[in-house]
Amino acid sequence: MIKLVRTNSDHPDFMALVKQLDAYLAIIDGEDHAFYDQFNKIDKIKHVVVAYFNNQPTACGAIKEYLPNTMEVKRMYTSTASRGKGMATQVLTELENWAAELGYQKCVLETGKRQEDAVALYQKNGYLLIPNYGQYATITNSVCFEKALS
């Protein structure tokens, strides 16, 4: 059974999952990891979702305001052993619902081109490719997406 918990970045299970995420990204991103890492600090994030499978923390994600009408999806991760069970989609949907409840009209996000599973997840969930934004505007290994919230 999957249980979703809304919390913040101080939650110990979120912090533990983010450590796993950072270790994974250090391998995937290689020498680009230090650049991306500077934009992935987790202190003071107010909107975090942690997914539990059989009471074990297995997936997470967060949103933070990017523009007054836009939330940015950050720190999406599913533990390696738990992939393929739909948890990432459930976390993402919960984050989108939360953003909509807070009055935001869309979500944006950045992921790496090398993260093919992440790209597929976002496309499967209705995210559309947009020009790279903000600090990612000139980064060729990044891809950015956007989704209007209903």
Side-chain angles (χ1 to χ4, degrees):
M1 175 174 149
I2 297 172
K3 178 176 120 180
L4 301 176
V5 173
R6 290 182 180 186
T7 186
N8 62 43
S9 59
D10 293 332
H11 196 285
D13 291 336
F14 176 67
M15 291 190 286
L17 287 165
V18 167
K19 277 190 178 183
Q20 293 176 38
L21 169 61
D22 286 338
Y24 169 77
L25 291 176
I27 295 165
I28 297 293
D29 293 338
E31 61 187 44
D32 295 333
H33 184 67
F35 170 79
Y36 291 111
D37 194 46
Q38 68 182 318
F39 304 116
N40 290 321
K41 305 302 179 210
I42 62 167
D43 56 328
K44 298 179 182 77
I45 298 178
K46 298 177 187 175
H47 306 99
V48 167
V49 172
V50 177
Y52 294 84
F53 183 72
N54 293 333
N55 294 318
Q56 295 297 314
T58 55
C60 65
I63 49 175
K64 62 189 237 182
E65 186 175 279
Y66 180 71
L67 294 170
N69 70 337
T70 305
M71 280 288 200
E72 183 177 27
V73 177
K74 305 290 288 179
R75 312 313 282 159
M76 287 288 298
Y77 179 71
T78 302
S79 64
T80 306
S82 299
R83 294 187 183 159
K85 296 177 179 161
M87 284 188 267
T89 293
Q90 288 188 41
V91 169
L92 186 59
T93 300
E94 185 71 6
L95 291 169
E96 293 166 358
N97 290 341
W98 200 356
E101 289 168 20
L102 293 168
Y104 291 88
Q105 296 162 347
K106 63 183 172 179
C107 286
V108 296
L109 62 89
E110 177 276 341
T111 193
K113 287 181 179 177
R114 297 179 199 119
Q115 297 166 342
E116 294 174 5
D117 290 345
V119 170
L121 168 74
Y122 299 129
Q123 290 175 328
K124 178 180 86 171
N125 283 282
Y127 281 77
L128 303 174
L129 193 62
I130 60 171
N132 288 3
Y133 61 86
Q135 64 265 28
Y136 309 109
T138 61
I139 308 304
T140 58
N141 289 326
S142 289
V143 288
C144 293
F145 292 93
E146 175 181 278
K147 180 178 180 180
L149 301 174
S150 50

